[in-house]
Amino acid sequence: MSTTKYVKLKAKKPIGGFVFLTVQQLCLVWWAYRIRLIQLRDFRVWFAAQEMVARRCQRAPDHVPDYTPQELHRLVGGVGGEHLRASLRRLDALGLLTWSNTTLTFATSPTDLRGLEDLAGFFTMYQAIPNHHRRIPVPRQAVRLIAGGLKASVIATMLGHLLRCLYYREQRCVSGGWCKASWIAEVFDFDLRSIKAARKHLVDIGWLRTLHTPQILCNRWGTYTLISLSWTRAALEHAAADRAAPPSSQSPPPSEFCTTGLPPLPKEDQEPLQELQHQQPAPPADAALAATPLQSAAPTPDGQTGVEQQAKDQTTSPTLPPTLQHIVPEDLRDTARLLTLFEQAQIQGLIGTSDSARLTFLATAEHACIIGSSNPCGLFAALIRRQLWHYVTDSDEDAASARLKQHLYGRDAPRRPAPVPTAPEPAALSKDAFMVRELHRELARAGFQGDAFGMVHRAYPEWTRARWDHAVAELATAQQGWQRANALNCLDDLTGVRDGLGCLAAAIADGDETG
């Protein structure tokens, strides 16, 4: 029996916030795509519209929002123009999305769809999802990721894990659950190999995290998976370094270390072949090795053998310089090498020389890393040579900007404050403490002041003075923890003021030194 403890990630909200989407909404829009009522671009436009509404979630009640096609294009990327307008028309004709400059309305049930009578496929998919009467706190980072142009298989894998591994309980996002790739392939009508490749890509970029699961549990429930609640595009560069192929300095060993000959056959298999007249048997592997002798393994003056010295020279040999004619994964990971490619693209007239062009070039690399799940280098080369800069989205530019600042200034952003430590979350209240808290609230509304133990004891004799005092003490301890957490949150809100004071102090110090 396995003793592995399968933990869950909990947070008030993911980094960047979340959007509540029902299981029925996700099934509706995916089912419409799979039966070709809408295109994949329309699917991405639907998610981009969800992000546009989420950006205005804290607007004043009297403020009228302004939704523009330009904002939609920056989220979706691509050619835009008539293509986006055609997507909006298809979504509106089906009833999935109603677009206006001030209001965006989304379908929430099959009854909102127009012109459809056969919904058997939708209900088949909907019933295959356990616990489908709920809302899912979809991270906005994932919403923007889907809107930005992922492959359909990657989107299906993301949605499958959101349905099985992300919940909203007790006003907190809870990540962690069992999910089988075969279940996703069956529900979303996809090839199993494509789903497994997409899951590997999501693990490589850090959006998913799989825990070691015994095979007996994998066969029954699938792999235990966590959806990262702290995932951002800024972490993509480090994740790509872990999944990339070895650089050219770690190329395979020379041919003399790799023999292609097969081992000699057993003696009983050689006996029937002794009298063959029309075939020249291939030389045994030992002869092939003798024809190409290995280098001497005599120790060198520093104590290393020749083989060890050659292997060391291989790993320390300089990496080939970057070139647009042959882009390798290391070029996309290393910002310095990427800027070298940018200079080469300038010389060839593929891009301009401004800072904006440099940011666009890096954003294109970010786009290729996140979208090109199977061949990011090939996708990046195609985008550069064809000058398809319009595929870059706002999320790509944000990630490229953070990466460029890290390269130029040595940190994520100028004057970025250190993270403020957060207080440990108090334990959940017991039933007694919860009852005392609610009773105090009701009595405070009624204007009562004093000890309420006497009234409680008369109504419920099982409540003794010791039980009452214990619940009151537990409530007081929890309230102190809540106050401490609120104070740290207020301190976090003042980080901008702290940065300004730090810059002012530095300026005063510099003035004193020069004076």
Side-chain angles (χ1 to χ4, degrees), residues 228-398:
S228 176
L229 300 178
S230 58
W231 185 86
T232 60
R233 292 285 297 271
L236 178 62
E237 183 177 358
H238 304 288
D242 299 333
R243 67 165 177 161
S248 56
S249 60
Q250 300 178 10
S251 55
S255 57
E256 56 263 25
F257 292 99
C258 302
T259 60
T260 58
L262 297 176
L265 294 174
K267 182 177 181 181
E268 58 271 16
D269 294 334
Q270 292 179 359
E271 292 294 339
L273 303 177
Q274 296 301 316
E275 297 182 359
L276 290 177
Q277 303 295 331
H278 306 289
Q279 178 176 326
Q280 181 66 31
D286 296 338
L289 290 176
T292 56
L294 297 176
Q295 292 183 359
S296 174
T300 56
D302 57 356
Q304 294 181 338
T305 64
V307 174
E308 294 175 349
Q309 181 67 29
Q310 185 169 358
K312 182 177 179 181
D313 294 340
Q314 254 187 331
T315 57
T316 58
S317 60
T319 306
L320 296 177
T323 173
L324 284 176
Q325 280 66 40
H326 181 64
I327 300 175
V328 297
E330 188 177 358
D331 297 336
L332 302 183
R333 299 194 312 266
D334 192 339
T335 306
R337 294 176 64 88
L338 197 57
L339 292 177
T340 302
L341 294 180
F342 171 65
E343 296 175 357
Q344 297 178 12
Q346 288 179 344
I347 298 175
Q348 299 181 20
L350 298 176
I351 196 170
T353 60
S354 63
D355 292 343
S356 175
R358 180 179 61 180
L359 180 62
T360 300
F361 192 87
L362 266 66
T364 305
E366 292 289 332
H367 182 84
C369 288
I370 199 70
I371 302 301
S373 56
S374 57
N375 185 14
C377 295
L379 176 59
F380 178 66
L383 294 176
I384 295 302
R385 291 164 185 165
R386 301 179 186 178
Q387 303 180 9
L388 302 177
W389 317 116
H390 49 267
Y391 281 96
V392 173
T393 64
D394 282 351
S395 299
D396 300 328
E397 286 193 353
D398 293 342

Side-chain angles (χ1 to χ4, degrees), residues 98 467 496:
T98 303
R467 181 179 178 182

